[in-house]
Amino acid sequence: MISDSTAMPTFDYSLPNLTRDDCLQLDQADPLSSCRERFLLPEGLIYLDGMSLGPLPKRSASSLRNVTERQWGEGLIRSWNTADWIDAPIRVGAKLAPLLGAEPDELIVADSTSVNLFKLLIAALRVCPERKVILTTDDNFPTNVHVADGVQQLLPDVSLRVVPADQIDSAIAEDVAVVAMSHVDYKTARINDAERITRQAHRQGALVLFDLSHSAGAVPVELNAWQADLAVGCGYKYLNGGPGAPAYLFVARRHQSPFRQPITGWMGHAEPFQFEVEYRPAEGIRRALTGTPPILSLAGLEAALEVWWGVELAMIRKKSRALGSLFVRLVEQWASTPELSLGSPSDPEHRGGHLSFHHPEGYAVMQALIARGIIGDFRAPDQMRFGLAPLYLRFVDVWDAAAALAEIVNERSWDQPQFKRREKVT
Ligand SMILES: *Cc1c(COP(=O)(O)O)cnc(C)c1O
């Protein structure tokens, strides 16, 4: 059935007689299979939570050791210059650029997604001061709405408009300063049409600010081809930067010289070591910086971005769609309870790198899966999420995870007190 590596993307996942052996053969033919070795993955575990916290790349582990013991331990303060710590936010931003369809000088890595969102929302509102509305969607990640609400409270003449995602086009009116949206929905993985939304926003004279937290490393992102203005996103999800890895921030070149962000710290100053009292913003994207960069976290992320070197992004997308289609197909075939239903778009064209399933006892079902060494996560009120990261997942993992999920829901083995005890992080 599978003769060469090109067979992978055209494989017919809907075959009724598909077997586990077919999956093993697919893994052998998979041109991305060697990428798995770039990660330290615990033996016997199926990790389907790369959209929440990517696994540890081997080169990040060794880089963190080097930066800690040599650069910090031995180099001490000298490493700001000798190891070029000072330019890490710019250098790592440049390494991220190819994954986002941006130029190297359009990105920096700094702060958290929430903080970067705050900076960019205020900067966007300053571009066109007569426009007073921030437009977002009601299914956006809560922090995005909270931060926009915080901006609204800070600036009395600014207001936040929150609409259902399918009404976004008609909600882009002449008073909108910025349309702030997630490109891929954090719960359902639905892909919003960034190019169309950008076109629509520009037609009305508004800017767009995309959150790429669930896009970068999962689906094709073409910030400049879309003509996007601003963007933010997380470093610790599909980019595998490590827990609490710094986030990124994109400002299209054409917006960089008038760009003014509100947290004007010394690292965004034109000459921080002149110690001038007056603030003069640095040229270019550097002015988006605020304080001293978190060098250890940046080192983890920088090494994790190097894992993508030589990886064909079109192949990532193909494999991601294939893994998703297979998972959906097997669960639909094996799960015999109507309580379980797909929460993601059924057309792989319209969904990103993870799958979501509704189940009224989704939390307990997920805990039962985790107890069997299959790790996904849960998003209240009833969605289980399964991340299908093509860099390190195999088709056989999808087979085994789908089999376990079906068994747990069919046999109701989730119905035990230890699976219902809620942890702080779900
Ligand atoms: C994960 C995620 C965040 C997280 O923001 P932090 O500030 O890094 O905690 C924000 N927005 C979206 C859309 C996300 O998916």
Side-chain angles (χ1 to χ4, degrees):
M1 191 173 342
I2 295 137
S3 53
D4 60 61
S5 64
T6 56
M8 198 262 291
T10 54
F11 189 81
D12 183 5
Y13 304 98
S14 61
L15 280 180
N17 56 353
L18 183 82
T19 66
R20 192 173 185 276
D21 276 344
D22 292 333
C23 292
L24 291 170
Q25 282 193 54
L26 274 172
D27 290 323
Q28 289 220 319
D30 175 6
L32 292 172
S33 63
S34 63
C35 298
R36 183 177 169 86
E37 283 141 39
R38 301 177 192 175
F39 294 88
L40 282 165
L41 288 160
E43 199 64 37
L45 189 126
I46 300 178
Y47 193 63
L48 305 178
D49 214 0
M51 75 287 170
S52 273
L53 175 66
L56 172 62
K58 288 177 184 166
R59 59 188 305 152
S60 297
S62 58
S63 173
L64 281 165
R65 236 180 344 260
N66 175 49
V67 174
T68 308
E69 292 171 9
R70 307 252 329 260
Q71 295 183 6
W72 178 16
E74 292 169 23
L76 289 161
I77 191 88
R78 295 168 289 191
S79 292
W80 283 106
N81 291 314
T82 54
D84 201 23
W85 284 353
I86 193 67
D87 284 330
I90 304 273
R91 185 177 68 243
V92 183
K95 285 187 177 165
L96 179 59
L99 286 172
L100 302 184
E103 294 298 322
D105 61 359
E106 292 177 313
L107 281 158
I108 53 153
V109 172
D111 306 308
S112 65
T113 302
S114 306
V115 170
N116 288 336
L117 195 61
F118 177 79
K119 291 177 175 180
L120 291 192
L121 283 173
I122 300 237
L125 287 161
R126 284 168 164 171
V127 167
C128 200
E130 59 277 15
R131 290 169 177 261
K132 301 294 185 195
V133 173
I134 301 170
L135 178 64
T136 193
T137 61
D138 60 7
D139 57 1
N140 208 345
F141 193 92
T143 200
N144 300 49
V145 185
H146 302 331
V147 168
D149 184 41
V151 171
Q152 160 185 251
Q153 292 186 36
L154 187 69
L155 305 172
D157 56 344
V158 165
S159 64
L160 171 63
R161 195 176 292 158
V162 185
V163 300
D166 60 3
Q167 290 171 26
I168 193 76
D169 290 64
S170 57
I172 306 176
E174 280 181 356
D175 55 357
V176 172
V178 55
V179 182
M181 281 191 79
S182 289
H183 175 228
V184 175
D185 184 84
Y186 79 104
K187 265 191 186 164
T188 65
R190 185 195 67 248
I191 300 179
N192 291 312
D193 187 341
E195 194 167 10
R196 192 201 70 229
I197 292 161
T198 304
R199 211 180 311 121
Q200 180 70 7
H202 288 176
R203 201 175 290 143
Q204 296 292 332
L207 301 181
V208 290
L209 196 180
F210 289 114
D211 191 317
L212 304 173
S213 292
H214 285 277
S215 313
V219 298
V221 176
E222 289 295 342
L223 284 168
N224 283 330
W226 300 341
Q227 306 211 2
D229 304 292
L230 306 164
V232 296
C234 288
Y236 50 79
K237 294 176 178 170
Y238 294 100
L239 299 178
N240 312 308
Y248 51 88
L249 167 167
F250 162 88
V251 180
R253 243 184 224 159
R254 63 185 176 282
H255 294 303
Q256 286 182 3
S257 80
F259 172 83
R260 285 190 306 132
Q261 61 106 342
I263 316 181
T264 45
W266 71 313
M267 286 294 157
H269 192 281
E271 292 183 275
F273 284 86
Q274 290 301 322
F275 297 99
E276 295 168 8
V277 170
E278 199 177 317
Y279 184 78
R280 281 190 293 126
E283 285 302 310
I285 192 77
R286 194 183 283 271
R287 67 177 57 183
L289 293 175
T290 297
T292 303
I295 294 303
L296 298 182
S297 298
L298 272 162
L301 177 58
E302 179 166 20
L305 290 174
E306 292 168 9
V307 167
W308 294 91
W309 287 352
V311 172
E312 207 184 309
L313 294 179
M315 214 60 208
I316 290 286
R317 178 65 174 150
K318 270 186 185 161
K319 183 175 171 188
S320 152
R321 290 169 53 146
L323 292 168
S325 299
L326 180 63
F327 194 90
V328 171
R329 159 86 186 161
L330 293 176
V331 170
E332 283 177 352
Q333 191 176 319
W334 291 332
S336 55
T337 164
E339 286 188 320
L340 186 73
S341 65
L342 183 63
S344 297
S346 53
D347 182 351
E349 184 69 27
H350 297 302
R351 65 175 184 241
H354 71 269
L355 287 170
S356 133
F357 284 89
H358 296 280
H359 188 286
E361 291 288 341
Y363 182 80
V365 175
M366 184 51 74
Q367 292 305 310
L369 274 165
I370 293 171
R372 291 171 62 156
I374 298 168
I375 301 184
D377 64 22
F378 173 75
R379 289 294 173 261
D382 70 344
Q383 272 169 278
M384 292 178 278
R385 300 190 307 174
F386 300 92
L388 302 167
L391 278 183
Y392 49 85
L393 278 176
R394 300 166 299 200
F395 287 90
V396 74
D397 297 326
V398 164
W399 176 281
D400 292 343
L405 173 61
E407 195 181 303
I408 288 166
V409 295
N410 291 347
E411 294 175 4
R412 299 177 65 86
S413 50
W414 51 264
D415 196 3
Q416 296 177 49
Q418 77 268 27
F419 297 144
K420 297 181 183 174
R421 224 179 9 247
R422 291 276 174 124
E423 301 276 2
K424 280 188 190 158
V425 177
T426 63

